[in-house]
Amino acid sequence: MSDPANSTIADALEELGDLYELDGAVIHRVLAYRNAARAVRDAQGSVAQLAREGAVTSIPGIGATLERKILDLIETGEIPATVKLRERYPPGLLAITALPGLGPKRARRLFDELGIDSPDALRAAASAQRIRTLKGFGAKGEEAILAALDAGAAERPRSRPPLDRALEIGELIIDALRARDPEAQIMLAGSARRRADSVKDLDIVVDRPSLLDALGTLDLLEEGARTSPSAARGRTHSGITVELRAVSSEQFGNLLQHLTGSNAHNAALRERAVRAGLHISEYGILEDATETIHHCATEEEVYARAGLGYIEPELRENRGELEAAAAGTLPVLVDLSDIRGDLHAHTTASDGHASIEQMARAALALGYEYLAITDHSATHGFGDEVSPEQLRRQIELVHEADAKLEGIKLLAGSEVNVLPDGSPDYDDDLLAELDWVIASVHTSFALDRDAMTERMCRAASHPLVDAIGHPTGRLVERRAPYELDVDALIATCAANGTMLEINASPHRRDLDEIHSRSAAAAGVSLVINSDAHSTGGLQVLRFGIWTARRAWLTAADVANTLPWPEFAAKLGRSGR
Ligand code: DGT
Ligand code: CA
Ligand code: ZN
């Protein structure tokens, strides 16, 4: 039997975690499987090979129990615990748990009380208005279920890896190719270069055909081979397809522009160009008037030939960038170097892994002028909550650390959970003692649209709430946003001067680029935060920057590009 790919092992661990969750296992056990699945998926080498060498426990989060299960999978093709649980819970039930607003507990009740074991059975029961007979579901919940099913939420495959995983391996592959030919031009193209939330595959452009044969020889790939005189295809151990294309240096700009896309951008660009008598292709630009083909070594030349200024890859989605480039009104996009502070970070006081001082020193090392410590509040629900008494102590500790450390302002903050009625879960007296309050939803995701919108708008209009954290609750490729009228939330934030977060975690990127753009247009200040749970976690800010760039944001749209004195003035904390 050939070794299972890392993605196969990861899927198996994830399935087992889901099954344990359906079975009512303690959350720590479920999370252990999910974390292990992630570690396996992200591993750069072959995990099966590592397991056969007895070294799989070198992967963080994998101990003896998981090692045994991975070995069973490699040796027999299945994990006994999975086989047993699959008998109890039909596979269709797992698809139901993925629906927004359901989750394992509610899915179990649908199964136990109504015998619903698949998305089809769920649809039938909802259409027959049988769901509303269950306590805690109701007619609105039933409608939400039908809407989610119609939106295809149950069928959505988990096959598109998020950008962080794609870039990590993509950059390693590029480095490895560059080591083979240090003089070559090698560029990432496609959705990864556009910094999209997730990617189907990695597109790479080189100007040396010799590198096509190198692809299959890289240890980073499970397999790879030339597919034509100018192309090669491979697959990483984590299951991501790599499309490598080679072209002459004179045409490098043409092919890079073509393969960076997006399809919609390219189609619109070509249409514009045709009206000017130009035919743009991946090989060059044919000019009708002179019947000559222009080769472009750079993308700048491609756009210049089309009468346009250079368009940043993040903007190439046909969302008005061609018109703006023609008119010379493209925005100067916000850049990571514009960021002066981070306003969402956890410590060991809740579920973080570092102390206040460690986080502060890491922020200082990044050149930040300020950092807000925002541990989870009282009802967060993962057992790491900060009681009001603990928060009072934490405020003192943050202020002590602030007094001790030179060069960085520490804000004593909190990520308060928004209760179903829209109120924060600390009293106003306590909130008033904080320097910075982010309000986020971590519980009761299943409210209907009106109730959720009212909840969020109430939180956003609370005078002591500074910003709304990860406003829609979506997880990239894993969880749809909760039901929410985001435009109404944006309007409320605009009216109250409340900021909206772009949570930079590559798994969130929430607000997304579309809503971030609307928010900025409505005059809402965005704040790009890492939501770091460790010192290394501060580094994810770049993913939030990329979302902001895809949202056309300038530094002026992003509050944490302000130097500390100006940010402090904006906060207007003197009244507290
Ligand atoms: P992905 O891979 O789904 O995350 O997204 P992309 O944008 O990387 O798409 P992909 O890999 O299918 O193709 C890479 C680029 O190649 C795409 O962004 C634009 C260009 N391209 C591919 N197929 C077509 C096509 O049929 N027409 C045009 N105009 N461009 C195409
Ligand atoms: Ca692609
Ligand atoms: Zn949160």
Side-chain angles (χ1 to χ4, degrees), residues 121-250:
L122 181 64
R123 183 188 292 280
S127 304
Q129 307 199 336
R130 280 193 289 129
I131 309 278
R132 63 181 68 186
T133 60
L134 287 192
K135 199 163 163 272
F137 281 83
K140 287 217 166 138
E142 201 169 72
E143 281 161 27
I145 286 172
L146 280 172
L149 286 169
D150 286 341
E155 296 108 58
R156 208 154 98 208
R158 294 179 181 190
S159 56
R160 288 177 66 92
L163 183 65
D164 59 333
R165 279 182 51 212
L167 278 187
E168 192 180 355
I169 185 73
E171 279 161 8
L172 288 172
I173 291 169
I174 286 174
D175 288 348
L177 290 173
R178 187 159 289 131
R180 300 291 172 90
D181 190 342
E183 305 295 308
Q185 284 197 80
I186 307 173
M187 285 285 290
L188 193 59
S191 50
R193 180 162 182 243
R194 300 196 312 276
R195 310 309 192 198
D197 292 334
S198 65
V199 308
K200 176 192 69 195
D201 54 17
L202 287 164
D203 305 282
I204 300 175
V205 185
V206 299
D207 65 351
R208 298 295 155 91
S210 59
L211 284 175
L212 296 171
D213 290 319
L215 190 70
T217 67
L218 301 181
D219 289 341
L220 291 163
L221 297 185
E222 198 172 270
E223 58 176 44
R226 194 189 269 261
T227 52
S228 83
S230 62
R233 179 176 300 132
R235 194 173 64 235
T236 68
H237 294 287
S238 54
I240 303 176
T241 300
V242 180
E243 302 279 359
L244 186 62
R245 292 278 302 271
V247 71
S248 70
S249 303
E250 304 85 71

Side-chain angles (χ1 to χ4, degrees), residues 102-127:
L102 283 180
K105 283 216 185 74
R106 288 162 73 82
R108 252 309 275 285
R109 286 192 50 214
L110 291 169
F111 180 58
D112 292 344
E113 295 174 39
L114 295 176
I116 291 168
D117 60 359
S118 69
D120 284 343
L122 181 64
R123 183 188 292 280
S127 304

